[in-house]
Amino acid sequence: MDPAAAAAASTAATATDALVQELFVADGPVDRPVRLASLVAFQGDHRTLTERDLTRIAAALVEAELRRTAHPGVIGALARTLHSLGTIDLDDVRAVRLGPEAFARHLAVAAPDAGEGLAPDEARLHATLREAVAAHILRFLTLRSRFLAAAEDAAFEERYAQDIVAAHDHLTIYGIDLAHSPDSWPLDAAYLSLETETDGGSPSAPAEQALAGRERVLLWGVAGAGKTTLVQRLAVSVARGDLPAPLEGLRGRVPFVLPVRRFRHDSNSNHDNNGNSHHDSHRNGFPEPDAFLSAVRYPHAAAQPPGWAERVLSDGRGLLLVDGVDEAPEQERERLREALRELPARYPGNVWLVTSRPSAVRENWLASERFTELKLSPLSRDGVTAFIRCWHEAARQDITDRADLDRLSGYEETLLDAVRITRELGRLATNPLMCGLLCALHRDRRGYLPRGRKALYDAALSMLLERRDRERAMLPPDGIDLPQEPKIQLLQKLAHWMLVNGRSEMDRATAVETLGRHLPAIPHAARQGGPEEIYRHLLNRTGLLREPTPGSVDFVHRTFQDYLSARAVVERHDFDFLIDHAHLDDWEEVIRMSVALARPDECGYLLEGLLAARKDARPVHARHRKLLAAACLEHATELDPEVRSRVHRYTRDLVRPTSLEAARALGWIGPIVLEMLPDPSGVSDEEAHRLAVTATSIADDRAIDYLVRLRDRASWAVRAQLAGAWRRYDTDRYADEIIAHLDARELDFPVSDLEELRALRRLGGRPCVQIAGAFTPEQLTEGLVAERLAELWLAYDLGEDLDLSWLAAFPRLHTLRLSHRNAEVTGVPEGVQVIVTGA
């Protein structure tokens, strides 16, 4: 629907609502069921309408619904139908529960002769009008009665909560073969608590704790960091009423899971003679509350009581989970931002969580609307260990043979050793997606792991597309037996369509049509079935596609879509296509993967294209392209040394950031930027701080060599930045080369796990310590150096352990900082000042 048509439809609906309201008296009970016959305005003691008025209203309703006049016979038939409202034996509660279709049938039975004498086409028109008006009548009845609205809302919310749990209470765990659900696992069993961090000096904290007490949060996370998983966890926990202690404040709220990729109409594509797709469609911005459920294709959206979503938001009961701002086209994000400014102001008291990849939105994107910005941290060493343990525990559930169980336990231990010892594997295992793939591949390949990003994804595709079924000696259940390469080619066609059209989800019919267009060129597939059969095979047997809602399809993870898109582009030699879109942040991963896949001369062409000046290019886009070229260098297996040198030359001046936002933005380039950062010895403290921000954004132990040159700075900002980055690096090496050398004055030293606690004790302790992980009192009294500790910040949720009498073990302690959630502590020793930090 184009904007003009949408506006006209909205105007028509408003006019119809006003006309329907005329049919009923203005007063009447709203706190109990009421007979419809007592509410109509054309009979009884409060009559205000005549027979002529009913004809007038019927004519106006016809014009409002059809936007044209109709035969007088149709108007008369509708007037007689409206008159039957005074004769049917229904109260408002029963009428609403019937729904529009059944209620319209009641009107037809009550006025059997209403359409007498109408021609067949007029009779059909009258029936359509009767049902449309019936829907508006039920909407009016629901809106007028608090009793009716509350009863209908409660019944619907119970069903809606059950559907939320059914839709989101599972995760994809790659490589675990379950008897009935090969790629999914219950959310409770597989969920790993994620850590978040801010730039405000607060230590990292579990996401549940960081979100507690906050009404508006913008959460950043790289691909695979777990943003959507966290959204699922929150939605399911709230729907079930089974909430962790920090999130008790969300109890009773109604979760709305709102993936941004679904805020659009189905696209209309046409193709030229070469099969290239040209996209031209209108896309919606953020939907209005009454359209939330239909926008995300909730199958029972039509069953929601009229005005329900708006009542939920007006009462401040909503939990709005807006997932994936980065999946909106760049030119539409400003409209999305305006909606995220306007809706929280219009409906105060609701809780908002908005997620995005960091590159898609700038810092402080929603700060003016009081959104707190949090970032999902890379998995810590303990987080990686916990994930690997969790993955293998889930895998054990499907194994009965003792030898297989022992073998799996051996894989678990060797993988844990590998990610600790092998730096390249440690760099890959930074988020749940990558950890899951490493676990699956390690088991699938009996302890052998590929090296590097390209090898990892190639191996993952091999595992998912071919080896799993073959090695399980599984016969194809659908009669289709495709080798790996044809399946990859077909999946690439779908991924390429999404890339060209700026989508991360496509209509099922479009997917089938796209496959049908390319099948003739892939005879091995064409011989085994038509596009519909091949589509079902790819959906059911590859583990890469899913149907998130009826009638739509997407990839199980955006990273697979990006990788297959890159393969398609490289095979088509369409590097100019990539270069033309390199200024768009959602193309970054595709371009980086294309460099990994391309031949040396193609890499050179692509990188030169990123560096080249472009007519009318905005300066920010030119800078983005050059930095992207630098980021691509680590993915190029073979490259002309002159091209590599030229990339360094063009980007050297770009790595002296002039703001903290720019400093953080350099982090996505990766370890290659460490080679280009300037010598920090002669720069100001302000610039040294920005350089420290950039270097600590790179979770690679090579950053320690650069940070060593900043460790002797007197600047508190530099020292605090270095201290706060400890958890990203090898504990003992960072302790010896950085922590041991930092001036301790007015500096909180963060401790997030037992290894760091032991390392800090080995260094003699520190006067001010920030405890960012959950410890027992025994661990803290043993690990902290009592003779030195003067200030302690317990920056984690104490839960029920609110007795702090154990602090008496620290005779020099004079200041204790606590979260506002832990304000009710007891047993604090005399003379210790307690400072409660805000939300």
Side-chain angles (χ1 to χ4, degrees):
M1 182 182 294
D2 62 37
S10 176
T11 301
T14 302
T16 302
D17 284 339
L19 290 164
V20 164
Q21 188 171 345
E22 262 192 86
L23 294 170
F24 298 93
V25 296
D27 53 5
V30 295
D31 58 352
R32 62 180 185 274
V34 184
R35 287 185 67 248
L36 292 187
S38 68
L39 290 176
V40 295
F42 47 81
Q43 65 184 27
D45 296 337
H46 302 286
R47 181 166 54 189
T48 58
L49 297 180
T50 66
E51 298 290 335
R52 181 177 295 179
D53 289 324
L54 282 182
T55 301
R56 171 183 59 80
I57 292 172
L61 285 170
V62 169
E63 187 167 352
E65 285 295 307
L66 303 180
R67 293 192 283 283
R68 61 180 174 82
T69 59
H71 189 278
V74 174
I75 295 173
L78 184 58
R80 290 187 287 275
T81 297
L82 296 177
H83 190 271
S84 71
L85 286 167
T87 64
I88 59 177
D89 186 24
L90 285 175
D91 60 35
D92 52 0
V93 173
R94 289 177 59 202
V96 169
R97 288 181 176 170
L98 284 174
E101 291 184 18
F103 182 58
R105 288 196 294 271
H106 265 263
L107 294 178
V109 171
D113 301 327
E116 188 175 321
L118 294 180
D121 58 336
E122 292 176 332
R124 286 191 293 272
L125 182 58
H126 172 235
T128 300
L129 287 165
R130 182 172 56 214
E131 187 168 330
V133 171
H136 284 277
I137 289 172
L138 299 187
R139 173 179 168 81
F140 166 77
L141 294 174
T142 303
L143 293 176
R144 72 170 290 280
S145 170
R146 291 192 300 271
F147 171 80
L148 180 56
E152 293 302 304
D153 288 358
F156 177 75
E157 286 174 25
E158 183 176 353
R159 175 186 187 179
Y160 176 67
Q162 294 170 354
D163 289 341
I164 285 288
V165 172
H168 298 288
D169 189 27
H170 54 81
L171 289 179
T172 297
I173 303 186
Y174 301 103
I176 296 181
D177 301 323
L178 306 177
H180 302 294
S181 182
D183 298 308
S184 66
W185 193 250
L187 186 63
D188 285 344
Y191 182 74
L192 179 72
S193 182
L194 303 170
E195 295 273 320
T196 63
E197 56 191 64
T198 69
D199 295 316
S202 297
S204 61
E208 293 85 355
Q209 181 178 330
L211 294 173
R214 290 188 164 111
E215 283 194 357
R216 302 177 187 182
V217 172
L218 173 58
L219 182 69
W220 293 344
V222 300
K227 301 182 294 296
T228 298
T229 300
L230 178 59
V231 163
Q232 289 180 247
R233 174 70 167 183
L234 289 171
V236 170
S237 297
V238 171
R240 278 183 173 156
D242 181 16
L243 291 155
L247 297 179
E248 271 296 318
L250 297 180
R251 187 172 298 279
R253 291 190 176 272
V254 177
F256 294 95
V257 181
L258 302 170
V260 172
R261 64 180 175 274
R262 297 192 195 149
F263 295 175
R264 346 179 153 184
H265 283 300
D266 295 332
S267 62
N268 298 313
S269 299
N270 50 65
H271 304 269
D272 60 24
N273 292 333
N274 296 319
N276 296 314
S277 171
H278 301 285
H279 183 58
D280 182 20
S281 69
H282 168 69
R283 297 181 179 180
N284 285 337
F286 204 97
E288 283 294 308
D290 282 351
F292 280 176
L293 301 190
S294 57
V296 300
R297 301 179 190 175
Y298 172 58
H300 306 298
Q304 65 179 308
W308 167 73
E310 185 156 350
R311 284 192 295 278
V312 170
L313 267 58
S314 296
D315 293 342
R317 296 196 297 121
L319 170 63
L320 295 107
L321 303 167
V322 184
D323 190 27
V325 168
D326 52 282
E327 298 195 61
E330 189 171 31
Q331 65 273 18
E332 293 181 21
R333 289 177 197 153
E334 192 56 34
R335 291 175 59 196
L336 187 58
R337 184 180 177 213
E338 288 302 316
L340 292 171
R341 287 172 166 175
E342 189 267 334
L343 284 171
R346 193 200 315 173
Y347 301 106
N350 296 287
V351 175
W352 293 78
L353 174 66
V354 180
T355 76
S356 178
R357 290 188 185 183
S359 58
V361 296
R362 64 179 182 274
E363 189 177 16
N364 298 322
W365 195 62
L366 289 171
S368 63
E369 304 310 312
R370 305 193 312 279
F371 273 77
T372 300
E373 294 184 353
L374 300 176
K375 181 169 62 175
L376 281 175
S377 309
L379 286 179
S380 64
R381 292 178 301 279
D382 283 351
V384 171
T385 298
F387 186 99
I388 293 172
R389 297 280 191 209
C390 180
W391 190 97
H392 285 83
E393 183 57 37
R396 288 186 186 95
Q397 307 305 310
D398 197 39
I399 298 175
T400 56
D401 183 82
R402 169 53 59 183
D404 287 343
L405 283 170
D406 291 342
R407 195 175 298 115
L408 185 64
S409 295
Y411 291 156
E412 180 178 352
E413 297 306 320
T414 57
L415 180 58
L416 285 169
D417 289 340
V419 295
R420 291 190 192 108
I421 296 169
T422 308
R423 185 174 69 183
E424 191 169 30
L425 289 178
R427 285 178 55 201
L428 288 172
T430 58
N431 62 55
L433 172 68
M434 289 298 189
C435 280
L437 287 180
L438 288 174
C439 289
L441 286 167
H442 188 256
R443 177 190 179 189
D444 186 69
R445 293 177 164 231
R446 295 171 173 80
Y448 166 75
L449 277 173
R451 299 291 179 89
R453 201 177 208 180
K454 175 183 178 297
L456 178 65
Y457 282 111
D458 282 341
L461 289 175
S462 175
M463 176 187 70
L464 293 168
L465 298 182
E466 183 174 14
R467 293 184 60 187
R468 185 174 62 182
D469 280 355
R470 188 183 70 229
E471 293 180 7
R472 292 162 67 199
M474 183 172 182
L475 295 174
D478 52 12
I480 296 175
D481 187 13
L482 287 178
Q484 177 178 329
E485 194 53 38
K487 282 190 273 196
I488 288 179
Q489 289 296 324
L490 291 166
L491 289 165
Q492 284 178 194
K493 307 307 181 188
L494 302 181
H496 187 261
W497 185 96
M498 294 184 187
L499 178 71
V500 171
N501 290 281
R503 301 287 296 274
S504 54
E505 184 177 294
M506 65 193 299
D507 183 63
R508 185 185 193 278
T510 305
V512 172
E513 187 270 334
T514 301
L515 293 173
R517 194 169 62 255
H518 292 286
L519 270 178
I522 307 175
H524 200 124
R527 286 194 298 267
Q528 299 197 46
E532 181 67 41
E533 290 77 21
I534 295 297
Y535 168 80
R536 285 200 301 268
H537 176 77
L538 296 176
L539 178 69
N540 295 328
R541 299 309 314 155
T542 66
L544 286 173
L545 295 179
R546 62 177 182 174
E547 289 187 343
T549 59
S552 66
V553 61
D554 66 3
F555 284 87
V556 293
H557 199 281
R558 176 70 179 267
T559 301
F560 286 119
Q561 177 190 326
D562 290 341
Y563 185 68
L564 289 165
S565 299
R567 284 182 59 115
V569 169
V570 170
E571 287 182 6
R572 294 161 65 103
H573 305 285
D574 208 350
F575 298 103
D576 289 330
F577 177 61
L578 289 179
I579 293 167
D580 288 343
H581 292 83
H583 63 288
L584 301 175
D585 51 70
D586 49 346
W587 286 62
E588 288 172 6
E589 285 299 307
V590 177
I591 291 172
R592 293 172 75 157
M593 291 179 179
S594 295
V595 169
L597 292 162
R599 293 176 296 191
D601 59 326
E602 295 167 336
C603 284
Y605 183 87
L606 180 52
L607 293 174
E608 293 276 18
L610 294 176
L611 297 176
R614 297 176 67 83
K615 184 179 179 181
D616 301 325
R618 295 168 56 191
V620 67
H621 289 164
R623 180 178 180 275
H624 182 98
R625 289 170 180 276
K626 291 181 174 64
L627 290 175
L628 182 55
C632 288
L633 287 180
E634 69 171 319
H635 302 294
T637 305
E638 181 182 350
L639 184 65
D640 183 342
E642 178 56 33
V643 175
R644 187 180 295 272
S645 175
R646 195 151 39 245
V647 173
H648 278 285
R649 190 163 61 250
Y650 271 84
T651 55
R652 189 173 292 117
D653 292 338
L654 296 178
V655 290
R656 299 195 74 147
T658 57
S659 69
L660 291 178
E661 180 181 2
R664 279 186 285 272
L666 288 175
W668 64 264
I669 293 180
I672 190 70
V673 78
L674 294 169
E675 302 173 19
M676 298 182 282
L677 288 175
D679 184 349
S681 58
V683 304
S684 67
D685 282 345
E686 290 76 14
E687 184 170 1
H689 180 218
R690 293 192 292 270
L691 293 171
V693 168
T694 295
T696 55
S697 297
I698 302 166
D700 187 290
D701 282 348
R702 282 176 285 181
I704 299 175
D705 297 325
Y706 187 83
L707 296 173
V708 162
R709 292 183 279 173
L710 289 162
R711 68 189 184 187
D712 296 324
R713 287 268 175 173
S715 163
W716 179 89
V718 174
R719 291 184 289 127
Q721 186 67 37
L722 267 58
W726 189 3
R727 65 186 299 275
R728 298 182 180 178
Y729 304 102
D730 179 81
T731 301
D732 289 329
R733 182 184 170 198
Y734 199 86
D736 293 335
E737 298 191 33
I738 304 295
I739 299 295
H741 298 269
L742 295 177
D743 185 342
R745 288 177 300 169
E746 300 178 342
L747 187 64
D748 289 304
F749 286 81
V751 172
S752 59
D753 58 40
L754 282 172
E755 282 188 64
E756 291 176 357
L757 186 63
R758 295 188 189 105
L760 199 62
R761 183 175 183 85
R762 177 171 58 80
L763 297 178
R766 289 297 183 272
C768 304
V769 179
Q770 182 186 85
I771 304 298
F775 293 85
T776 65
E778 292 75 19
Q779 289 169 333
L780 291 177
T781 52
E782 181 181 339
L784 294 169
V785 178
E787 302 77 28
R788 196 163 186 195
L789 184 67
E791 297 183 23
L792 181 63
W793 184 355
L794 297 180
Y796 63 96
D797 193 339
L798 297 175
E800 297 180 0
D801 299 326
L802 298 178
D803 180 6
L804 300 184
S805 55
W806 56 272
L807 292 176
F810 304 99
R812 298 189 59 192
L813 181 68
H814 59 71
T815 302
L816 173 65
R817 265 193 281 178
L818 298 169
S819 161
H820 70 287
R821 292 182 292 276
N822 299 321
E824 302 301 321
V825 295
T826 61
V828 178
E830 187 176 348
V832 176
Q833 179 188 12
V834 177
I835 300 174
V836 178
T837 61

